Amino acid sequence: MIDLTYRNLESYNQAKEKAKNNPEAFWSEIAANFHWHKKWDTVLEYNFHKPEVKWFIGGQLNITENCLDRHLETQPDQTAILFEPNNPSEAAQHISYKDLHSRVCRVANMLKANGAKKGDRICIYMPMVPELAIAVLACARIGAIHSVVFAGFSAAALAARINDASCSMLLTADGGYRGDKVTPLKDIADEALKKCPTVNCSIVLKRTGQAISWNTKDVWWHEAIEKADDHCPAEIMDSEDPLFILYTSGSTGKPKGMVHTCGGYMVYTAYSFQNVFQYNKGDIYWCTADIGWITGHSYIVYGPLAVGATTLMFEGVPSYPDFDRFWEVCAKHKVNQFYTAPTAIRALEKHPVALVNKHDLSSLKVLGSVGEPINAEAWHWYDDHVGKNKCPIVDTWWQTETGGILITSLAGVTPQKPTYATLPMPGVQAVLLDNDGNELSGEQEGILAIKHPWPSIARTIWGDHERYKNVYFSAYPGYYFPGDGALRDTEGNYRITGRVDDVVIVSGHNLGTAPIENALDEHENIVESAVVGFPHDIKGNALHAFVIPREPVADNETLIAELRTLVANTIGPIAKPDRIQVVSGLPKTRSGKIMRRILRKLAAGEYDQLGDVSTLLNPEVVEEIKRNS
Ligand code: WTA
């Protein structure tokens, strides 16, 4: 195992000092712990105005050699991936580093045999089975750029992502298990591929054995893999070559394909994984995210494997077969570090605590939270009942764009503070800005920004560098602007207060309201719509859609049902609004701009906080919305 960890406050403080005084020396010392075919010539070049960021320039590597090959010498039999299936009666799988290496190489050869090569984009639309992680690593092995699309997305969303990156290959499965449901992945993929001319091969893993249709470009995974041997030299990549694209929602327009590159991403995910979770050799670490999201990329696959950890991969859901599944799995596999999302905690907190207590959770040492602000109630429930007040909780703030955790405590090393993500990692320079972009000092509330690059910052938006500049570097020139607000206490601890743009985080999923409005507007009887978030007990936020019909309808319920289906088909079931309200108009300014601030207050039922509505073009609709809600 590779050790990059600060184990006490003193060494943490030293690291912080060093990173502040000489970031390049700091990061090059960390990067020296990895296997490079050629060492970098220059540590960092950047310009946030352009914007451009490059790390470890001239360095050559393959991330899979760091995640796999080098561990073969020291710990070939250590479990790399511990797979827990959806159905508890199916056996768990312990895949050693040696086995994982061999399976990745075989899949890499299978990809090559089917035409894949360095630089190609390969879309992966698969359930949470080991082959998903193997597929990701196999792409990296041959230098193909993977684009994993979460297996809950619709055919239209999948097609849009495949086409945006002109993927030449799709890796999918017949179906996927999730709780008591089976997702017909192949059917959805078939539907998507009708609109994807660039895909010339689709490799299908058999997981559920369900009936599927078969097309000329389809290849069975189990047949193709037969012909592939397990020797596959790693493609040598430049540090700044793209490793993957991962789509995230924006406040406007289509999803953004964030591009991460090989060298910096590897260094930062490994460094942050080990420090944040204080991983020790032999520990069993479990992150409950899906590999379809950045958390799964960085903290199920790359970060843990880069340091030689054992990473647990779970196919199922927290509620199946019962609401104690997480705790059952923790006890069964003696999990040491457990990393989940506030929405899961809030959902589980509603069930009798006996469901937690019936399992032996004494192996747990560290708990983690990610994806949205964790409210005090959920934090304390997690601390009391899961951690029994003896496990530090790391509340980790970061984003798809940041590649790795930026603000967090380090488990047991730095102080935690409930509902606060606490301090920036050594090497991360966070600041608070006022609306005019002036840095605030001391205890303040403001806009969170980062003023110096860290190695895993996304380098661009695939095919749209201008948008990358506009979204992240234009609002506050000279800073990276993540789109979140925060407050800071006297000790410098940050508490993230939420998005400051039109992205709503629902159950930890980042949803742009604009694409949902576009989907609603597709309905033949909808003229205009507006979607806002409102606070929700379990999901954190839920969506409230206001829709204006072209013609008043006799039966709103039917219209609402059609709209929900439309959103599910266009984006995916996760984007379905909880509430759809049919209205005759939307509150607008005299220049015709929808007053979202007012809609948010209306959706939250905060009628006394609407402010002055008399300057609106149509103040009467506010009354109507209140009456009909
Ligand atoms: C939010 C997930 C508060 C935030 C890794 C961010 C959080 C967005 C936290 C990114 C946290 C994530 N506390 N808010 N610990 N972690 N967020 O791209 O608004 O899916 O901008 O990445 O989630 O979501 P994404």
Side-chain angles (χ1 to χ4, degrees), residues 247-249 293-295 299 339 342 369-374 394-402 404-405 407 419-421 482-485 495-500 503 505 508-510:
Y247 287 86
T248 184
S249 314
W293 308 115
I294 191 68
T295 308
Y299 299 113
Y339 189 29
S369 170
V370 59
E372 58 184 311
I374 179 165
V394 290
D395 175 0
T396 62
W397 175 83
W398 59 297
Q399 310 180 293
T400 305
E401 295 86 338
T402 69
I405 297 166
I407 304 183
T419 76
Y420 281 71
D484 282 325
R495 175 185 187 162
I496 312 301
T497 49
R499 302 288 310 180
V500 296
V503 171
I505 304 208
H509 301 312
N510 201 319

Tab-separated table of all heavy atoms in Angstrom, residues 247-249 293-295 299 339 342 369-374 394-402 404-405 407 419-421 482-485 495-500 503 505 508-510, ligand 1:
chain	number	residue	atom	x	y	z
A	247	TYR	N	-20.702	13.720	-17.202
A	247	TYR	CA	-21.683	14.797	-17.403
A	247	TYR	C	-22.299	15.235	-16.088
A	247	TYR	O	-22.593	14.418	-15.219
A	247	TYR	CB	-22.773	14.333	-18.385
A	247	TYR	CG	-22.216	14.283	-19.778
A	247	TYR	CD1	-21.551	13.151	-20.243
A	247	TYR	CD2	-22.270	15.399	-20.599
A	247	TYR	CE1	-20.974	13.120	-21.500
A	247	TYR	CE2	-21.696	15.387	-21.863
A	247	TYR	CZ	-21.050	14.244	-22.306
A	247	TYR	OH	-20.472	14.229	-23.553
A	248	THR	N	-22.492	16.533	-15.976
A	248	THR	CA	-23.171	17.081	-14.806
A	248	THR	C	-24.151	18.141	-15.286
A	248	THR	O	-23.955	18.747	-16.344
A	248	THR	CB	-22.154	17.633	-13.784
A	248	THR	OG1	-22.864	18.061	-12.617
A	248	THR	CG2	-21.359	18.806	-14.320
A	249	SER	N	-25.211	18.330	-14.503
A	249	SER	CA	-26.253	19.264	-14.939
A	249	SER	C	-25.781	20.693	-14.805
A	249	SER	O	-25.063	21.033	-13.871
A	249	SER	CB	-27.480	19.130	-14.063
A	249	SER	OG	-27.797	17.809	-13.883
A	293	TRP	N	-21.720	8.391	-10.871
A	293	TRP	CA	-21.491	9.763	-10.395
A	293	TRP	C	-20.017	9.942	-10.066
A	293	TRP	O	-19.277	8.969	-9.897
A	293	TRP	CB	-22.315	10.043	-9.129
A	293	TRP	CG	-23.762	9.711	-9.267
A	293	TRP	CD1	-24.435	8.737	-8.579
A	293	TRP	CD2	-24.742	10.323	-10.129
A	293	TRP	NE1	-25.763	8.727	-8.952
A	293	TRP	CE2	-25.982	9.686	-9.904
A	293	TRP	CE3	-24.684	11.362	-11.070
A	293	TRP	CZ2	-27.144	10.040	-10.578
A	293	TRP	CZ3	-25.849	11.709	-11.747
A	293	TRP	CH2	-27.057	11.056	-11.498
A	294	ILE	N	-19.602	11.182	-9.870
A	294	ILE	CA	-18.180	11.448	-9.611
A	294	ILE	C	-17.713	10.771	-8.322
A	294	ILE	O	-16.571	10.313	-8.235
A	294	ILE	CB	-17.887	12.976	-9.581
A	294	ILE	CG1	-16.372	13.245	-9.583
A	294	ILE	CG2	-18.532	13.652	-8.377
A	294	ILE	CD1	-15.644	12.889	-10.836
A	295	THR	N	-18.588	10.689	-7.325
A	295	THR	CA	-18.157	10.076	-6.066
A	295	THR	C	-17.700	8.640	-6.311
A	295	THR	O	-16.711	8.182	-5.737
A	295	THR	CB	-19.285	10.142	-5.017
A	295	THR	OG1	-19.726	11.494	-4.936
A	295	THR	CG2	-18.815	9.689	-3.656
A	299	TYR	N	-13.967	7.854	-5.555
A	299	TYR	CA	-13.826	7.222	-4.238
A	299	TYR	C	-14.414	5.819	-4.133
A	299	TYR	O	-14.552	5.301	-3.035
A	299	TYR	CB	-14.352	8.172	-3.150
A	299	TYR	CG	-13.552	9.469	-3.129
A	299	TYR	CD1	-14.130	10.676	-3.492
A	299	TYR	CD2	-12.187	9.459	-2.810
A	299	TYR	CE1	-13.389	11.853	-3.511
A	299	TYR	CE2	-11.437	10.631	-2.834
A	299	TYR	CZ	-12.042	11.818	-3.179
A	299	TYR	OH	-11.307	12.981	-3.206
A	339	TYR	N	-19.040	5.651	3.754
A	339	TYR	CA	-19.194	6.977	3.134
A	339	TYR	C	-20.515	6.998	2.385
A	339	TYR	O	-20.701	6.233	1.442
A	339	TYR	CB	-18.020	7.146	2.172
A	339	TYR	CG	-17.799	8.498	1.534
A	339	TYR	CD1	-18.179	9.691	2.148
A	339	TYR	CD2	-17.141	8.578	0.295
A	339	TYR	CE1	-17.913	10.914	1.541
A	339	TYR	CE2	-16.869	9.793	-0.311
A	339	TYR	CZ	-17.264	10.967	0.313
A	339	TYR	OH	-16.995	12.168	-0.291
A	342	PRO	N	-26.323	12.387	2.733
A	342	PRO	CA	-27.337	12.811	3.697
A	342	PRO	C	-28.739	12.308	3.368
A	342	PRO	O	-29.506	11.967	4.268
A	342	PRO	CB	-27.283	14.342	3.629
A	342	PRO	CG	-25.890	14.644	3.203
A	342	PRO	CD	-25.504	13.528	2.272
A	369	SER	N	-19.860	11.811	4.696
A	369	SER	CA	-21.080	12.341	4.096
A	369	SER	C	-20.696	13.156	2.869
A	369	SER	O	-19.688	13.860	2.871
A	369	SER	CB	-21.779	13.229	5.127
A	369	SER	OG	-22.838	13.949	4.536
A	370	VAL	N	-21.511	13.070	1.833
A	370	VAL	CA	-21.214	13.814	0.601
A	370	VAL	C	-22.474	14.079	-0.202
A	370	VAL	O	-23.409	13.296	-0.152
A	370	VAL	CB	-20.229	13.037	-0.304
A	370	VAL	CG1	-20.752	11.668	-0.715
A	370	VAL	CG2	-19.886	13.833	-1.564
A	371	GLY	N	-22.476	15.159	-0.939
A	371	GLY	CA	-23.494	15.395	-1.955
A	371	GLY	C	-24.370	16.590	-1.708
A	371	GLY	O	-24.915	17.165	-2.640
A	372	GLU	N	-24.541	16.962	-0.464
A	372	GLU	CA	-25.385	18.108	-0.131
A	372	GLU	C	-25.102	18.441	1.327
A	372	GLU	O	-24.485	17.647	2.044
A	372	GLU	CB	-26.852	17.754	-0.336
A	372	GLU	CG	-27.255	16.560	0.500
A	372	GLU	CD	-28.684	16.110	0.256
A	372	GLU	OE1	-29.579	16.959	0.279
A	372	GLU	OE2	-28.867	14.904	0.062
A	373	PRO	N	-25.577	19.593	1.765
A	373	PRO	CA	-25.353	19.921	3.175
A	373	PRO	C	-26.042	18.884	4.060
A	373	PRO	O	-27.142	18.430	3.745
A	373	PRO	CB	-26.035	21.284	3.335
A	373	PRO	CG	-26.101	21.857	1.952
A	373	PRO	CD	-26.249	20.684	1.033
A	374	ILE	N	-25.384	18.482	5.134
A	374	ILE	CA	-26.021	17.542	6.058
A	374	ILE	C	-26.622	18.360	7.209
A	374	ILE	O	-25.923	19.128	7.868
A	374	ILE	CB	-25.051	16.429	6.530
A	374	ILE	CG1	-25.761	15.487	7.514
A	374	ILE	CG2	-23.745	16.952	7.104
A	374	ILE	CD1	-25.024	14.162	7.762
A	394	VAL	N	-16.653	12.719	8.534
A	394	VAL	CA	-16.099	13.681	7.586
A	394	VAL	C	-17.211	14.134	6.643
A	394	VAL	O	-17.838	13.333	5.975
A	394	VAL	CB	-14.880	13.115	6.806
A	394	VAL	CG1	-13.694	12.960	7.752
A	394	VAL	CG2	-15.171	11.778	6.134
A	395	ASP	N	-17.483	15.431	6.679
A	395	ASP	CA	-18.495	16.019	5.796
A	395	ASP	C	-17.707	16.629	4.646
A	395	ASP	O	-17.040	17.647	4.800
A	395	ASP	CB	-19.269	17.074	6.599
A	395	ASP	CG	-20.275	17.848	5.757
A	395	ASP	OD1	-20.379	17.577	4.545
A	395	ASP	OD2	-20.943	18.734	6.318
A	396	THR	N	-17.753	15.964	3.503
A	396	THR	CA	-16.827	16.286	2.415
A	396	THR	C	-17.503	17.120	1.338
A	396	THR	O	-18.433	16.659	0.687
A	396	THR	CB	-16.290	14.992	1.771
A	396	THR	OG1	-17.401	14.271	1.203
A	396	THR	CG2	-15.611	14.095	2.805
A	397	TRP	N	-17.032	18.322	1.151
A	397	TRP	CA	-17.598	19.173	0.093
A	397	TRP	C	-16.736	19.113	-1.160
A	397	TRP	O	-15.520	19.326	-1.081
A	397	TRP	CB	-17.692	20.643	0.535
A	397	TRP	CG	-18.156	21.491	-0.609
A	397	TRP	CD1	-19.444	21.685	-1.002
A	397	TRP	CD2	-17.332	22.200	-1.546
A	397	TRP	NE1	-19.477	22.474	-2.133
A	397	TRP	CE2	-18.194	22.803	-2.483
A	397	TRP	CE3	-15.954	22.376	-1.688
A	397	TRP	CZ2	-17.731	23.579	-3.548
A	397	TRP	CZ3	-15.482	23.143	-2.750
A	397	TRP	CH2	-16.372	23.738	-3.656
A	398	TRP	N	-17.378	18.829	-2.260
A	398	TRP	CA	-16.691	18.852	-3.556
A	398	TRP	C	-17.710	18.711	-4.668
A	398	TRP	O	-18.907	18.763	-4.403
A	398	TRP	CB	-15.598	17.783	-3.614
A	398	TRP	CG	-16.042	16.352	-3.419
A	398	TRP	CD1	-16.615	15.805	-2.301
A	398	TRP	CD2	-15.944	15.292	-4.375
A	398	TRP	NE1	-16.865	14.476	-2.504
A	398	TRP	CE2	-16.466	14.137	-3.768
A	398	TRP	CE3	-15.454	15.199	-5.679
A	398	TRP	CZ2	-16.511	12.902	-4.430
A	398	TRP	CZ3	-15.493	13.979	-6.325
A	398	TRP	CH2	-16.025	12.845	-5.692
A	399	GLN	N	-17.243	18.552	-5.899
A	399	GLN	CA	-18.122	18.553	-7.068
A	399	GLN	C	-17.558	17.673	-8.180
A	399	GLN	O	-16.364	17.380	-8.186
A	399	GLN	CB	-18.185	19.956	-7.678
A	399	GLN	CG	-18.479	21.065	-6.727
A	399	GLN	CD	-18.501	22.394	-7.458
A	399	GLN	OE1	-17.467	22.842	-7.943
A	399	GLN	NE2	-19.664	23.002	-7.551
A	400	THR	N	-18.412	17.357	-9.141
A	400	THR	CA	-17.952	16.662	-10.346
A	400	THR	C	-16.763	17.430	-10.941
A	400	THR	O	-15.772	16.833	-11.379
A	400	THR	CB	-19.099	16.614	-11.385
A	400	THR	OG1	-20.234	16.012	-10.767
A	400	THR	CG2	-18.702	15.818	-12.619
A	401	GLU	N	-16.872	18.728	-10.941
A	401	GLU	CA	-15.854	19.586	-11.549
A	401	GLU	C	-14.544	19.570	-10.777
A	401	GLU	O	-13.481	19.812	-11.356
A	401	GLU	CB	-16.352	21.038	-11.579
A	401	GLU	CG	-17.561	21.282	-12.469
A	401	GLU	CD	-18.896	21.012	-11.773
A	401	GLU	OE1	-18.935	20.253	-10.774
A	401	GLU	OE2	-19.903	21.560	-12.238
A	402	THR	N	-14.599	19.357	-9.468
A	402	THR	CA	-13.363	19.442	-8.682
A	402	THR	C	-12.614	18.106	-8.662
A	402	THR	O	-11.469	18.066	-8.239
A	402	THR	CB	-13.621	19.884	-7.226
A	402	THR	OG1	-14.308	18.845	-6.528
A	402	THR	CG2	-14.425	21.175	-7.153
A	404	GLY	N	-12.160	15.817	-6.813
A	404	GLY	CA	-11.896	15.242	-5.497
A	404	GLY	C	-12.389	16.188	-4.409
A	404	GLY	O	-12.795	17.336	-4.686
A	405	ILE	N	-12.331	15.689	-3.182
A	405	ILE	CA	-12.823	16.419	-2.008
A	405	ILE	C	-11.947	17.650	-1.748
A	405	ILE	O	-10.724	17.523	-1.625
A	405	ILE	CB	-12.759	15.488	-0.771
A	405	ILE	CG1	-13.682	14.279	-0.960
A	405	ILE	CG2	-13.088	16.262	0.506
A	405	ILE	CD1	-13.437	13.142	0.034
A	407	ILE	N	-13.095	20.489	0.637
A	407	ILE	CA	-13.265	20.991	1.999
A	407	ILE	C	-13.809	19.874	2.865
A	407	ILE	O	-14.826	19.259	2.528
A	407	ILE	CB	-14.208	22.217	2.041
A	407	ILE	CG1	-13.684	23.323	1.116
A	407	ILE	CG2	-14.370	22.730	3.469
A	407	ILE	CD1	-14.508	24.606	1.141
A	419	THR	N	-22.564	19.880	10.791
A	419	THR	CA	-23.106	20.678	9.664
A	419	THR	C	-22.056	21.549	8.969
A	419	THR	O	-22.377	22.245	8.018
A	419	THR	CB	-24.329	21.552	10.040
A	419	THR	OG1	-23.886	22.703	10.771
A	419	THR	CG2	-25.375	20.795	10.840
A	420	TYR	N	-20.825	21.479	9.408
A	420	TYR	CA	-19.742	22.210	8.729
A	420	TYR	C	-18.842	21.223	7.989
A	420	TYR	O	-18.434	20.212	8.569
A	420	TYR	CB	-18.875	22.978	9.733
A	420	TYR	CG	-19.489	24.281	10.197
A	420	TYR	CD1	-20.600	24.290	11.035
A	420	TYR	CD2	-18.952	25.500	9.783
A	420	TYR	CE1	-21.170	25.483	11.456
A	420	TYR	CE2	-19.517	26.694	10.199
A	420	TYR	CZ	-20.618	26.688	11.034
A	420	TYR	OH	-21.173	27.873	11.434
A	421	ALA	N	-18.521	21.549	6.745
A	421	ALA	CA	-17.529	20.730	6.034
A	421	ALA	C	-16.146	20.983	6.645
A	421	ALA	O	-15.223	20.214	6.458
A	421	ALA	CB	-17.544	21.048	4.550
A	482	PRO	N	-17.509	27.760	-7.883
A	482	PRO	CA	-18.215	26.478	-7.902
A	482	PRO	C	-19.740	26.575	-7.948
A	482	PRO	O	-20.408	25.584	-8.174
A	482	PRO	CB	-17.797	25.813	-6.583
A	482	PRO	CG	-17.021	26.811	-5.805
A	482	PRO	CD	-16.981	28.107	-6.557
A	483	GLY	N	-20.294	27.767	-7.677
A	483	GLY	CA	-21.757	27.886	-7.700
A	483	GLY	C	-22.415	27.640	-6.355
A	483	GLY	O	-23.630	27.510	-6.276
A	484	ASP	N	-21.615	27.581	-5.289
A	484	ASP	CA	-22.171	27.365	-3.954
A	484	ASP	C	-21.935	28.593	-3.072
A	484	ASP	O	-20.946	29.306	-3.224
A	484	ASP	CB	-21.490	26.172	-3.263
A	484	ASP	CG	-22.002	24.838	-3.766
A	484	ASP	OD1	-23.199	24.739	-4.073
A	484	ASP	OD2	-21.200	23.893	-3.864
A	485	GLY	N	-22.845	28.787	-2.124
A	485	GLY	CA	-22.649	29.802	-1.101
A	485	GLY	C	-22.136	29.129	0.170
A	485	GLY	O	-22.277	27.910	0.335
A	495	ARG	N	-19.218	26.298	6.266
A	495	ARG	CA	-20.478	25.571	6.200
A	495	ARG	C	-21.094	25.920	4.848
A	495	ARG	O	-21.316	27.091	4.532
A	495	ARG	CB	-21.397	26.049	7.314
A	495	ARG	CG	-22.748	25.429	7.225
A	495	ARG	CD	-23.665	26.020	8.262
A	495	ARG	NE	-24.897	25.271	8.249
A	495	ARG	CZ	-25.765	25.280	9.232
A	495	ARG	NH1	-25.529	25.960	10.320
A	495	ARG	NH2	-26.875	24.591	9.125
A	496	ILE	N	-21.359	24.904	4.049
A	496	ILE	CA	-21.897	25.153	2.709
A	496	ILE	C	-23.392	25.405	2.861
A	496	ILE	O	-24.108	24.600	3.464
A	496	ILE	CB	-21.654	23.937	1.779
A	496	ILE	CG1	-20.198	23.454	1.862
A	496	ILE	CG2	-22.078	24.246	0.346
A	496	ILE	CD1	-19.141	24.459	1.499
A	497	THR	N	-23.864	26.519	2.296
A	497	THR	CA	-25.281	26.852	2.478
A	497	THR	C	-26.136	26.413	1.301
A	497	THR	O	-27.346	26.407	1.394
A	497	THR	CB	-25.449	28.365	2.706
A	497	THR	OG1	-24.711	29.057	1.701
A	497	THR	CG2	-24.909	28.766	4.071
A	498	GLY	N	-25.525	26.043	0.194
A	498	GLY	CA	-26.304	25.539	-0.940
A	498	GLY	C	-25.967	26.272	-2.226
A	498	GLY	O	-25.131	27.168	-2.249
A	499	ARG	N	-26.643	25.858	-3.273
A	499	ARG	CA	-26.365	26.415	-4.596
A	499	ARG	C	-26.807	27.869	-4.685
A	499	ARG	O	-27.824	28.247	-4.095
A	499	ARG	CB	-27.120	25.618	-5.673
A	499	ARG	CG	-26.806	24.143	-5.723
A	499	ARG	CD	-25.458	23.808	-6.258
A	499	ARG	NE	-25.141	24.455	-7.516
A	499	ARG	CZ	-23.983	24.290	-8.152
A	499	ARG	NH1	-23.037	23.519	-7.638
A	499	ARG	NH2	-23.762	24.899	-9.290
A	500	VAL	N	-26.058	28.641	-5.434
A	500	VAL	CA	-26.486	30.016	-5.671
A	500	VAL	C	-26.978	30.181	-7.117
A	500	VAL	O	-27.252	31.279	-7.557
A	500	VAL	CB	-25.377	31.045	-5.345
A	500	VAL	CG1	-25.033	31.014	-3.866
A	500	VAL	CG2	-24.119	30.796	-6.173
A	503	VAL	N	-29.374	25.255	-10.018
A	503	VAL	CA	-29.218	23.810	-9.887
A	503	VAL	C	-29.860	23.443	-8.549
A	503	VAL	O	-29.668	24.132	-7.552
A	503	VAL	CB	-27.730	23.415	-9.915
A	503	VAL	CG1	-27.547	21.946	-9.566
A	503	VAL	CG2	-27.138	23.707	-11.293
A	505	ILE	N	-30.361	20.331	-5.734
A	505	ILE	CA	-29.831	19.016	-5.380
A	505	ILE	C	-30.942	18.200	-4.738
A	505	ILE	O	-31.402	18.501	-3.644
A	505	ILE	CB	-28.605	19.171	-4.487
A	505	ILE	CG1	-27.619	20.061	-5.252
A	505	ILE	CG2	-28.015	17.805	-4.140
A	505	ILE	CD1	-26.199	19.878	-4.984
A	508	GLY	N	-29.316	14.249	-3.336
A	508	GLY	CA	-27.899	14.208	-3.696
A	508	GLY	C	-27.642	14.282	-5.195
A	508	GLY	O	-26.500	14.342	-5.617
A	509	HIS	N	-28.682	14.262	-6.013
A	509	HIS	CA	-28.473	14.374	-7.459
A	509	HIS	C	-28.602	15.823	-7.869
A	509	HIS	O	-29.555	16.500	-7.534
A	509	HIS	CB	-29.494	13.550	-8.247
A	509	HIS	CG	-29.471	12.101	-7.912
A	509	HIS	ND1	-28.308	11.382	-7.855
A	509	HIS	CD2	-30.450	11.246	-7.588
A	509	HIS	CE1	-28.589	10.144	-7.519
A	509	HIS	NE2	-29.879	10.031	-7.344
A	510	ASN	N	-27.641	16.209	-8.672
A	510	ASN	CA	-27.502	17.562	-9.124
A	510	ASN	C	-28.410	17.764	-10.347
A	510	ASN	O	-28.142	17.217	-11.401
A	510	ASN	CB	-26.019	17.600	-9.538
A	510	ASN	CG	-25.453	18.924	-9.586
A	510	ASN	OD1	-26.107	19.842	-10.040
A	510	ASN	ND2	-24.211	19.027	-9.138
B	1	WTA	C1	-23.234	19.914	-3.204
B	1	WTA	C2	-20.848	15.552	-5.656
B	1	WTA	C3	-22.777	20.662	1.123
B	1	WTA	C4	-22.727	21.293	-3.588
B	1	WTA	C5	-19.500	15.221	-5.023
B	1	WTA	C6	-21.898	20.984	-4.824
B	1	WTA	C7	-22.374	19.607	-0.883
B	1	WTA	C8	-22.678	19.896	-5.481
B	1	WTA	C9	-21.486	18.702	-0.244
B	1	WTA	C10	-21.844	19.027	-6.368
B	1	WTA	C11	-21.299	18.834	1.180
B	1	WTA	C12	-21.555	18.253	-2.359
B	1	WTA	N1	-21.964	19.829	1.804
B	1	WTA	N2	-23.001	20.573	-0.191
B	1	WTA	N3	-20.520	18.013	1.870
B	1	WTA	N4	-21.004	17.877	-1.201
B	1	WTA	N5	-22.392	19.278	-2.186
B	1	WTA	O1	-21.225	17.434	-8.873
B	1	WTA	O2	-23.812	22.132	-3.908
B	1	WTA	O3	-22.827	15.722	-7.920
B	1	WTA	O4	-21.730	22.106	-5.665
B	1	WTA	O5	-20.648	16.250	-6.822
B	1	WTA	O6	-23.210	19.136	-4.386
B	1	WTA	O7	-22.557	17.893	-6.798
B	1	WTA	P1	-21.847	16.788	-7.686
